[in-house]
Amino acid sequence: MHIRPATEDDIPLLRDLARRIWHACYPGIITVEQIEFMLGWMYAAEKIRDELRAGFTWKIVEEDGAAIDRKSTRLNSSHTVISYAVFCLK
């Protein structure tokens, strides 16, 4: 397993991973319509780009050369790391 920092070039991959992971994990918990809403809101290309430029750290988890997860973190004002997106395709 390899974890690497994501760049703006990875935004399409981050969005694809989010879509696949959300549709694998959330049906039955929330509606497909809500999944689509959340994906559009949280994983819009512009939002990810803005987060990368604002200092959020996005990571891509790879196994056997295939991306299987994505994760974002940020440091808040009290110097605590906030971690987001802890789901995986495997």
Side-chain angles (χ1 to χ4, degrees), residues 27-86:
I29 299 171
I30 60 176
T31 66
V32 172
E33 292 80 13
Q34 184 66 29
I35 291 170
E36 290 301 319
F37 170 80
M38 298 299 288
L39 288 169
W41 172 57
M42 296 173 62
Y43 295 95
E46 304 79 34
K47 181 174 177 83
I48 296 171
R49 187 176 300 108
D50 290 347
E51 287 182 356
L52 286 167
R53 291 177 181 177
F56 279 63
T57 301
W58 280 82
K59 304 269 186 186
I60 296 174
V61 180
E62 298 172 326
E63 185 174 80
D64 299 325
I68 60 168
D69 195 9
R70 81 284 173 259
K71 180 180 177 117
S72 66
T73 58
R74 71 176 174 89
L75 190 63
N76 72 10
S77 60
S78 64
H79 302 288
T80 302
V81 173
I82 307 296
S83 183
Y84 305 92
V86 187

